[in-house]
Amino acid sequence: MTVFGLGAVGFTAICYTVESRAPVWTLGFALGSLLSSVYGFLQGAWPFGVVEIVWTVVALRKWWHRCVAMTA
């Protein structure tokens, strides 16, 4: 379980660091946040899980807006 959480948070951090390079990294950040949320709920840390769901939604909106801006 700890390895899963470390992987999820590490992946999220990497995507956050490079997300300005391409929209796919913003989508990766959303996926990492979702995985971190799952980890939080599995560990019983529901406030962390809820916050990570919020970050997932924020990242998905940001990704969507970046994709729309690229096609306009």
Side-chain angles (χ1 to χ4, degrees):
M1 183 66 74
T2 302
V3 173
F4 172 72
L6 180 62
V9 173
F11 178 72
T12 304
I14 290 168
C15 290
Y16 177 77
T17 302
V18 296
E19 78 171 322
S20 62
R21 296 182 184 186
V24 70
W25 292 109
T26 305
L27 189 59
F29 179 82
L31 176 63
S33 294
L34 182 62
L35 293 173
S36 297
S37 176
V38 169
Y39 171 74
F41 283 119
L42 289 175
Q43 287 290 74
W46 65 267
F48 179 78
V50 170
V51 169
E52 288 299 318
I53 285 176
V54 171
W55 277 115
T56 300
V57 172
V58 168
L60 286 172
R61 286 181 45 108
K62 184 176 181 180
W63 170 76
W64 178 256
H65 288 290
R66 288 186 72 189
C67 287
V68 168
M70 288 178 62
T71 60

